[in-house]
Amino acid sequence: DQQVKQNSPSLSVQEGRISILNCDYTNSMFDYFLWYKKYPAEGPTFLISISSIKDKNEDGRFTVFLNKSAKHLSLHIVPSQPGDSAVYFCAAKDSGGSNYKLTFGKGTLLTVNP
Amino acid sequence: EAGVTQFPSHSVIEKGQTVTLRCDPISGHDNLYWYRRVMGKEIKFLLHFVKESKQDESGMPNNRFLAERTGGTYSTLKVQPAELEDSGVYFCASSQADEYGYTFGSGTRLTVV
């Protein structure tokens, strides 16, 4: 039973345009959400996060939006750059479980074309 | 600051053999985690150490997997005996207290043939 879903396995965008990566979750106990970026042969790298008490968090070119009623979050990258090409994982923390255990989605491969 | 180091980077073993993966966390990080990604699937939690104590091992698949963290420093994950379905990439991560965005190592790609 997958609690964090990234329904788009891949996404291709042009350099300079906006990339929007989506994530849906089913567990209403999730209270903190994170995005990780992963290059081939490397481990995931923490990118940006958002608490469930907020609906938006911005860090430079990266913005995460949270819609609690829809159990949906999205990562916006603008403008997109070729170096952003990587697999992006959405992850969530359960307020009722182990403090630091994360539940991940399957990832979305983003390709930014020059 | 050195990152999270995992060894080996790749391991190919035959079904029934034993393999031990090692993780050296960032110095001073009390929290250490093991995760696994089977090809094409999500990254799944295996267990969480706080110093040398197992805080949560609810993700360990079965008793063929044994994790230790002697002295609260490096950790090992032993698979004995290995089965075909154990193939995947094993990630280790560490964090300081009250930190959710932890640092991952590059992973160990385990192939059981």
Side-chain angles (χ1 to χ4, degrees):
Chain A
D1 178 30
Q2 210 178 340
Q3 299 184 62
V4 176
K5 300 177 184 179
Q6 295 179 255
N7 292 320
S8 297
S10 63
L11 173 68
S12 183
V13 300
Q14 286 299 121
E15 180 178 6
R17 307 292 281 267
I18 185 171
S19 296
I20 300 176
L21 297 111
N22 294 302
C23 177
D24 297 291
Y25 62 95
T26 58
N27 189 340
S28 57
M29 296 296 289
F30 286 149
D31 66 347
Y32 199 83
F33 303 89
L34 306 91
W35 284 93
Y36 281 82
K37 178 170 73 173
K38 184 185 177 305
Y39 293 117
E42 295 184 10
T45 302
F46 170 69
L47 192 58
I48 192 170
S49 62
I50 187 167
S51 165
S52 59
I53 62 173
K54 296 187 176 182
D55 55 16
K56 177 183 175 181
N57 187 26
E58 190 172 353
D59 183 2
R61 297 186 296 113
F62 303 91
T63 303
V64 56
F65 295 92
L66 175 62
N67 183 334
K68 280 186 64 178
S69 61
K71 292 190 174 68
H72 176 84
L73 65 156
S74 60
L75 174 67
H76 292 212
I77 307 173
V78 56
S80 301
Q81 299 173 353
D84 296 329
S85 297
V87 177
Y88 288 78
F89 290 96
C90 173
K93 183 186 79 66
D94 183 343
S95 64
S98 168
N99 269 345
Y100 305 104
K101 171 184 174 180
L102 297 180
T103 302
F104 284 83
K106 289 186 178 182
T108 297
L109 173 62
L110 172 67
T111 303
V112 180
N113 301 302
Chain B
E1 175 184 76
V4 177
T5 306
Q6 291 189 245
F7 182 83
S9 56
H10 294 82
S11 180
V12 181
I13 62 171
E14 292 184 351
K15 176 182 171 181
Q17 288 187 322
T18 297
V19 63
T20 300
L21 313 181
R22 173 169 169 146
C23 169
D24 286 79
I26 292 174
S27 178
H29 282 191
D30 288 341
N31 293 293
L32 186 149
Y33 317 83
W34 284 97
Y35 282 79
R36 177 175 73 174
R37 187 183 189 206
V38 174
M39 190 170 64
K41 297 198 172 182
E42 64 270 30
I43 301 170
K44 278 199 168 182
F45 171 83
L46 295 178
L47 87 161
H48 169 208
F49 284 99
V50 177
K51 297 185 180 178
E52 67 274 11
S53 300
K54 291 176 185 174
Q55 179 77 12
D56 180 351
E57 53 183 330
S58 61
M60 295 289 264
N62 50 60
N63 59 10
R64 295 185 294 103
F65 289 75
L66 175 64
E68 295 179 322
R69 190 181 183 193
T70 307
T73 55
Y74 71 91
S75 175
T76 58
L77 179 64
K78 180 191 287 187
V79 184
Q80 179 183 28
E83 298 289 345
L84 298 178
E85 64 264 26
D86 300 333
S87 296
V89 181
Y90 290 77
F91 292 105
C92 175
S94 71
S95 73
Q96 296 175 330
D98 300 327
E99 185 180 62
Y100 303 136
Y102 27 81
T103 303
F104 279 87
S106 297
T108 294
R109 180 174 295 278
L110 174 65
T111 303
V112 183
V113 298

